[in-house]
Amino acid sequence: MTSAFNDERVHGGILQDGTEYEIIRGSLRPDGTRRPDVKVRKGYVAQDEMKPLETKGSRYRERQEAVKDWVPGMSQAMHQNQKDLKQKQKDDKQSQRASGRLSDQRAVDEKKEQQKEEQRRKQKEAEEKK
């Protein structure tokens, strides 16, 4: 039995039969059986192989991310220094979180906030009594 895929019209496992269709050769399953050949239109791209739709909004968002910290008139070197500084601050914060120092500071800040809330509540009660 001869296969049409031994023909010279085969390029990369796809049989070009001269019509508007291409035939993709079936592959071999792990259990030894063959998958059937698949007939598709020329130029067809499978859904999972297509790139995601790019909207105007997504392109705008990407451009804004690229120039987020940019100030008109700022040199490229200054912009890079600013980005490096922000990255260093972010790294420092992460190391503080890892060491537990930041959580201690957070507890102090929460306590101060609770004291402020208590003072506001007392002032409100004093005003209502008047």
Side-chain angles (χ1 to χ4, degrees):
M1 180 170 104
T2 61
S3 170
F5 284 95
N6 294 334
D7 197 345
E8 60 193 40
R9 297 175 295 167
V10 176
H11 301 285
I14 298 176
L15 175 65
Q16 310 285 337
D17 64 352
T19 64
E20 62 183 282
Y21 293 101
E22 297 174 337
I23 300 173
I24 301 173
R25 184 175 190 171
S27 60
L28 191 61
R29 293 188 179 109
D31 64 358
T33 59
R34 289 199 60 79
R35 291 184 178 89
D37 296 345
V38 179
K39 186 176 181 181
V40 296
R41 282 185 178 261
K42 288 183 181 177
Y44 172 77
V45 179
Q47 185 87 29
D48 57 340
E49 294 177 6
M50 289 184 168
K51 69 177 189 169
L53 180 66
E54 189 174 287
T55 63
K56 287 182 180 180
S58 64
R59 285 189 300 237
Y60 176 77
R61 194 169 32 257
E62 288 170 4
R63 282 195 311 266
Q64 291 303 313
E65 279 295 316
V67 295
K68 180 172 64 174
D69 299 322
W70 190 267
V71 177
M74 180 185 283
S75 69
Q76 187 68 28
M78 287 177 66
H79 179 63
Q80 188 62 41
N81 289 343
Q82 186 178 13
K83 284 174 64 176
D84 293 343
L85 180 65
K86 282 192 175 192
Q87 185 62 40
K88 184 178 181 305
Q89 289 172 344
K90 185 177 178 182
D91 294 342
D92 289 346
K93 200 169 198 176
Q94 286 178 347
S95 65
Q96 286 178 356
R97 274 196 189 112
S99 67
R101 288 190 336 214
L102 192 62
S103 61
D104 295 341
Q105 182 64 35
R106 191 172 287 153
V108 170
D109 291 343
E110 287 176 3
K111 193 170 188 177
K112 284 181 182 178
E113 188 64 35
Q114 287 175 354
Q115 289 173 350
K116 287 180 183 179
E117 282 294 321
E118 185 67 27
Q119 287 176 351
R120 287 185 202 128
R121 190 179 54 78
K122 286 181 182 179
Q123 285 177 352
K124 202 174 207 181
E125 288 175 359
E127 289 175 3
E128 288 176 1
K129 287 181 182 178
K130 289 182 181 180

